[in-house]
């Protein structure tokens, strides 16, 4: 009798499975709607980041290098970039604190490095600020340098927060079982 | 000769081993990924000095077995503290063991005299940063093609010599190992020569 019970259960399972597959193709689940909404948010947010000049073409290039084998590549690279920002800004702040004995060559070299890495990740605004910053270093404009340093600090932190929001959206989409729009 | 080593690989599309030199952490990560995704084996180092150490050119030849290294391409940043990319290029071209390895310079600055200086010193190419996937793909094709052409010349010396004699009067002979020796755009015998050696 256990055998016939199993057979019966199996039959019920098969039938219900058939019914579910038949219906799911027509019914949009709540999960599907959530995924679609998240994907829309993701797309809109990404577009706005490019539109407002936070990101440029190079960020797109980085995304091309991400795949199933390296799914966190972009997040890893930008994380390295933000570490770089912290380190370089701290070096420059220390150099500028010397007030009268500022080593502008050192500051300039740090700006050059920051410009390079911001360019490599597509951090457009940071890169732009570095151009101005470099000019201030070259002309040994103390006030200008201090101002640029403050702006660069604000800018990289702002980008960091925005990209964190973007990555969070990505995670939510993946957790809901959806695909990240390209 | 490093590029010629491609002929010793049994696979149909041999993997290039690229040595990437850059003092920027971020750029090293990016170039490494660009090369890996283009099916290259990659070794990254943070300075020209480290690059020379890796190649065994710093005087201490004890550590590395040259056979294992087989670097097919060197990609280096120009502005680095200590040894610049240009100085590294010079040292490589001065070395009898490594002068045949193509060296590519990368720079964020588009300075014409700098580019000319590097090309004159024997750089294979000069890439403007930020480097893109298209740049790496193009570079790989260039290196693979000159490797195949080199392979063709090494494997089939006789046919080339015969044809060479036939058109001796018309085309200038080129001793360069790059693919430029096959880019004679004059008469048909040259293109025939190119076809027969590459497809052999």
């Amino acid at each position: 009798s256990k055998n016939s019970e199993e057979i019966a259960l199996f039959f019920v399972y098969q039938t219900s499975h058939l019914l579910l597959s038949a219906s799911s193709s027509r019914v949009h689940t709540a999960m599907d709607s959530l995924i679609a909404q998240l994907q829309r948010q993701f797309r809109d947010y990404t577009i706005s980041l490019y539109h407002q000049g936070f990101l440029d073409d190079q960020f797109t290039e980085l995304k091309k290098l991400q795949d199933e084998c390296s799914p966190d590549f972009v997040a890893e690279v930008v994380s390295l970039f933000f570490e770089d920002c912290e380190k370089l800004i701290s070096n420059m702040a220390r150099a500028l604190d010397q007030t009268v004995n500022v080593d502008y060559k050192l500051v300039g070299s740090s700006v050059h490095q920051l410009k390079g890495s911001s360019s490599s990740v597509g951090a457009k605004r940071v890169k732009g600020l570095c151009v101005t910053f470099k000019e201030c270093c070259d002309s040994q404009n103390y006030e200008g340098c201090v101002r640029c340093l403050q702006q660069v600090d604000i800018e990289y932190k702002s980008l960091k927060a925005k990209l964190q929001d973007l990555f969070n959206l990505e995670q939510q989409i993946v957790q809901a079982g959806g695909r990240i729009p390209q | 000769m490093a590029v010629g080593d491609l002929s010793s690989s049994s696979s149909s599309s041999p993997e290039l081993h690229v040595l990437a030199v850059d003092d920027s952490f971020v750029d090293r990560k990016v170039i490494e990924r660009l090369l890996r995704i283009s099916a290259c084996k990659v070794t990254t180092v943070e300075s020209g000095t480290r690059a020379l150490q890796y190649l065994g050119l710093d005087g201490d030849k004890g550590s590395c077995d040259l056979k294992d290294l087989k670097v097919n391409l060197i990609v280096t940043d120009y502005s680095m503290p200590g040894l610049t990319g240009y100085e590294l290029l010079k040292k490589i071209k001065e070395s009898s063991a490594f002068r045949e390895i193509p060296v590519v310079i990368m720079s964020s600055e588009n300075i014409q005299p700098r580019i000319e200086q590097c090309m004159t010193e024997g750089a294979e190419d000069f890439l403007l940063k930020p480097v893109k996937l298209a740049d790496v793909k193009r570079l790989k094709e260039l290196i693979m093609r000159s490797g195949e052409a080199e392979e063709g010349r090494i494997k089939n010396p006789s046919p080339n010599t015969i044809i060479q004699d036939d058109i001796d009067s018309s085309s200038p002979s080129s001793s360069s190992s790059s693919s430029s020796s096959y880019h004679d755009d004059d008469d048909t015998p040259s293109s025939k020569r190119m076809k027969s050696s590459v497809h052999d």
Side-chain angles (χ1 to χ4, degrees):
Chain A
S1 77
K2 194 162 186 234
N3 225 358
S4 51
E5 226 179 65
E6 281 177 22
I7 294 169
L9 275 170
F10 181 74
F11 182 72
V12 169
Y13 167 80
Q14 284 289 71
T15 319
S16 55
H17 185 75
L18 271 169
L19 284 170
L20 266 172
S21 350
S23 60
S24 65
S25 55
R26 280 178 289 129
V27 173
H28 229 233
T29 62
M31 206 46 135
D32 289 336
S33 306
L34 174 66
I35 291 171
Q37 187 185 295
L38 287 168
Q39 286 171 333
R40 247 195 320 271
Q41 266 180 279
F42 177 84
R43 238 184 262 117
D44 290 343
Y45 197 51
T46 306
I47 290 171
S48 79
L49 287 177
Y50 283 92
H51 241 251
Q52 293 173 50
F54 286 99
L55 298 173
D56 67 26
D57 203 40
Q58 185 61 17
F59 190 77
T60 318
E61 289 292 320
L62 287 189
K63 294 198 79 180
K64 287 184 192 171
L65 306 180
Q66 189 161 279
D67 60 18
E68 312 81 47
C69 307
S70 251
D72 302 314
F73 175 71
V74 180
E76 286 166 11
V77 178
V78 300
S79 167
L80 281 177
F81 166 64
F82 294 131
E83 275 176 34
D84 224 21
C85 289
E86 240 185 271
K87 186 189 79 180
L88 291 168
I89 287 171
S90 148
N91 289 350
M92 293 190 273
R94 223 175 305 123
L96 288 169
D97 272 347
Q98 305 306 309
T99 333
V100 276
N101 270 337
V102 177
D103 184 351
Y104 286 102
K105 258 190 85 184
L106 179 71
V107 183
S109 134
S110 295
V111 176
H112 179 80
Q113 284 182 62
L114 189 58
K115 180 167 172 247
S117 50
S118 59
S119 163
S120 295
V121 303
K124 191 173 177 182
R125 282 201 190 182
V126 178
K127 180 182 168 187
L129 285 173
C130 287
V131 174
T132 315
F133 201 162
K134 189 72 176 25
E135 285 165 13
C136 292
C137 288
D138 293 343
S139 52
Q140 303 202 350
N141 173 357
Y142 183 75
E143 311 293 341
C145 282
V146 172
R147 228 184 354 257
C148 284
L149 183 70
Q150 286 172 345
Q151 286 178 321
V152 159
D153 190 57
I154 291 169
E155 200 55 56
Y156 101 80
K157 285 171 175 163
S158 164
L159 180 63
K160 187 174 177 183
K162 289 184 193 293
L163 286 180
Q164 193 56 61
D165 287 342
L166 194 67
F167 295 142
N168 287 343
L169 263 175
E170 269 187 2
Q171 242 193 350
Q172 285 179 58
I173 293 171
V174 168
Q175 279 171 358
R179 269 180 60 250
I180 300 161
Q182 290 314 308
Chain B
M1 186 167 4
V3 172
D5 281 333
L6 289 172
S7 59
S8 60
S9 165
S10 52
S11 63
S12 52
S13 52
E15 264 201 340
L16 284 186
H17 177 199
V18 186
L19 178 64
V21 192
D22 201 317
D23 61 314
S24 158
F25 216 9
V26 171
D27 288 355
R28 275 203 303 281
K29 180 139 181 116
V30 174
I31 194 75
E32 180 189 48
R33 182 72 190 140
L34 282 168
L35 290 165
R36 287 240 164 88
I37 219 176
S38 308
C40 297
K41 188 172 163 230
V42 191
T43 302
T44 57
V45 291
E46 71 213 15
S47 68
T49 314
R50 282 256 182 272
L52 292 176
Q53 277 174 6
Y54 183 80
L55 294 169
L57 276 176
D58 62 338
D60 174 24
K61 292 191 195 329
S63 42
C64 5
D65 181 2
L66 284 175
K67 261 196 236 105
D68 295 335
L69 286 181
K70 254 196 280 181
V71 170
N72 308 118
L73 168 66
I74 296 169
V75 178
T76 178
D77 189 25
Y78 183 93
S79 335
M80 295 187 291
L83 217 65
T84 66
Y86 174 70
E87 287 161 354
L88 176 63
L89 166 69
K90 271 176 70 174
K91 286 236 190 288
I92 289 165
K93 292 303 168 188
E94 279 164 15
S95 134
S96 50
F98 297 105
R99 71 160 64 101
E100 295 299 329
I101 305 181
V103 180
V104 172
I105 312 281
M106 304 180 285
S107 176
S108 55
E109 295 165 295
N110 190 359
I111 298 170
Q112 204 52 38
R114 173 184 290 185
I115 299 173
E116 280 167 15
Q117 185 194 44
C118 291
M119 298 309 282
T120 309
E121 196 58 42
E124 190 71 27
D125 205 347
F126 192 99
L127 295 179
L128 273 183
K129 282 181 162 182
V131 181
K132 298 171 163 37
L133 196 56
D135 296 325
V136 174
K137 289 211 157 122
R138 182 178 55 88
L139 195 64
K140 194 190 171 191
E141 278 166 26
L142 188 80
I143 304 298
M144 299 293 276
R145 233 182 294 130
S146 45
E148 275 171 20
E150 192 56 44
E151 208 177 316
R153 257 185 354 145
I154 291 166
K155 275 188 181 165
N156 309 298
S158 326
N160 275 358
T161 328
I162 293 167
I163 296 169
Q164 193 81 28
D165 287 341
D166 283 346
I167 54 169
D168 196 40
S169 50
S170 45
S171 48
S173 59
S174 169
S175 55
S176 158
S177 64
S178 74
S179 52
S180 61
S181 54
Y182 295 88
H183 288 176
D184 294 327
D185 51 8
D186 41 23
D187 49 306
T188 351
S190 314
S191 52
K192 273 192 189 161
R193 167 171 54 123
M194 179 169 79
K195 267 196 206 154
S196 59
S197 57
V198 167
H199 289 239
D200 264 327

